[in-house]
Amino acid sequence: MTETPAPARRPARQLLAASVGNAVEWYDWYAYTFLATYIAGQVFPRGSGNSLVPLLSAFAVFAVGFFMRPVGGLLMGAVADRHGRRAALTFTILLMGGSSLLVGLTPTYAAVGVLAPVVLVAARLLQGLSVGGEFAASTTFLVESAGPGRRGLFSSFQYVSTTIGQLAASGIAAALVGGLGEKQMEGWGWRVPFLVGAALSLVGFWIRRGAQETLQPASERSGQPRPGLFDALRRHPRASLLICGITAGGTLAYYTWTSYLPTYAELNAGIDKADALLAGTLALGFFALLQPLGGLLSDRYGRKPLLLFFGLGFALLSVPLLRSIGDSFASLLLVQCAGMVLLTGFTSVSAAVNAEMFPARVRAAGIGFPYSLTVALFGGTAPYVGTLFKELGRPGLFPWYVSALCLVSAAVYLRLPESAHRELER
């Protein structure tokens, strides 16, 4: 008996179920990064004579949320492997909605003192738990829903939906910044996206309840023991390490280009905040359009060529691209779009590559923990590291940091076995 049923007969519905919930999850997650400067001023005390202290604190909380992602990947991955992908997906979307509501209702430092950052940290920890579980479950769900020769295409929708969530967060943030005054944004405007996210999570929950399960629950499989929490790590250590190497450079480049670049441009090139957000929004739209193309190419020509295109491209071009950002909207948009083309080599295939390394029995937990741990170490800390280099007077080191880590991942890609044309292990 195979552990995974045949691919879903209604692939469009499966894509919608994964994509809508994933978009809502990542809308909430990225709203924080786009509005970090406003959150910083309201929730954290200003350091004596140093305007970057609240922003550093806000990005530190952003990074803290990432360190709950491995826990979420492990726990929710285990739920997905034991009780089905749909059960995990419906739980994570509700958890994200609750944590988004908590961020939107966080009191200010002026009102309650130190309790304000405590509430924000608690909300970000819950969001991190949810997002870690979301990636583990939705990645597995998407790839298992794909028909023959379409795993790359289906996996690309992981980042299509993520980008839609980012676009919504960026678009709403840009509209609020452009339409409200600075005092209104600092007073209540920054809360609006999080309250909207809480409402949208209910929509995602409703859609996901109608999805077709892609894994027969362990409780219904005769003769198959329930997978242990650490079975994937114990039985597939090489695959777990490979996921770390595959992900390290990709996650740093991804969070640098899709989340931190507007703030990087503000701090290092003096670009207007509204222009930076608008450039980010346009570049994200371009990025979303590239994902299915990358997935289709990987289904035809393999995953390795795209991964190497990304890894070597960023290793060689990160420094000149980041250094070429000037004080104009056009220069930032050009740099962002160039990076998005290279980044597609990683994002469009990473879900498929990860899923193809594990059997169905431990696939979700096997993906969730090493992937989320690597993202926490390198992706979640990207805004903080970049801002810290600026604070230390060495902003030029950050592009070299991105380049070096992408070179490390490129070396892993060279040794990676091609998996595009193999049957998915059941």
Side-chain angles (χ1 to χ4, degrees), residues 2 21 26 122 129 137 142 145 163 179 183 188 212 237 245 258 347 377 386 394:
T2 59
W26 289 96
L129 187 71
L142 276 171
S145 296
T163 305
K183 289 187 177 180
W188 57 268
Q212 178 181 335
T258 64
T347 54
L377 290 172
R394 303 297 298 273

Side-chain angles (χ1 to χ4, degrees), residues 35-236:
L35 297 166
T37 53
Y38 296 105
I39 296 172
Q42 295 300 305
V43 178
F44 297 98
R46 189 174 299 278
S48 177
N50 192 334
S51 62
L52 284 180
V53 168
L55 185 58
L56 279 169
S57 300
F59 280 142
V61 173
F62 180 75
V64 163
F66 273 85
F67 282 93
M68 282 299 289
R69 289 181 58 165
V71 179
L74 188 63
L75 295 180
M76 291 299 100
V79 169
D81 288 334
R82 293 180 180 187
H83 304 292
R85 319 310 189 197
R86 190 174 61 180
L89 289 172
T90 53
F91 181 77
T92 57
I93 195 67
L94 289 179
L95 185 59
M96 176 59 78
S99 57
S100 182
L101 180 64
L102 189 57
V103 173
L105 299 178
T106 298
T108 65
Y109 187 85
V112 298
V114 73
L115 181 62
V118 169
V119 171
L120 184 64
V121 168
R124 291 299 294 178
L125 290 175
L126 290 175
Q127 283 184 322
L129 187 71
S130 173
V131 171
E134 170 67 23
F135 184 88
S138 64
T139 293
T140 306
F141 179 82
L142 276 171
V143 176
E144 290 176 350
S145 296
R150 286 291 180 264
R151 293 198 302 265
L153 175 62
F154 270 55
S155 81
S156 72
F157 278 85
Q158 180 75 27
Y159 280 92
V160 170
S161 56
T162 296
T163 305
I164 289 172
Q166 286 179 272
L167 278 170
S170 177
I172 290 176
L176 287 170
V177 170
L180 298 177
E182 194 73 10
K183 289 187 177 180
Q184 290 174 307
M185 278 300 301
E186 292 176 352
W188 57 268
W190 65 270
R191 300 180 185 274
V192 172
F194 300 103
L195 301 178
V196 171
L200 289 175
S201 68
L202 297 177
V203 178
F205 172 75
W206 177 74
I207 292 174
R208 283 185 164 179
R209 288 188 65 190
Q212 178 181 335
E213 180 56 64
T214 62
L215 177 73
Q216 185 181 6
S219 60
E220 299 178 9
R221 295 199 303 266
S222 59
Q224 292 285 344
R226 284 158 50 109
L229 195 61
F230 297 99
D231 270 12
L233 290 174
R234 288 191 298 104
R235 300 189 180 191
H236 306 276

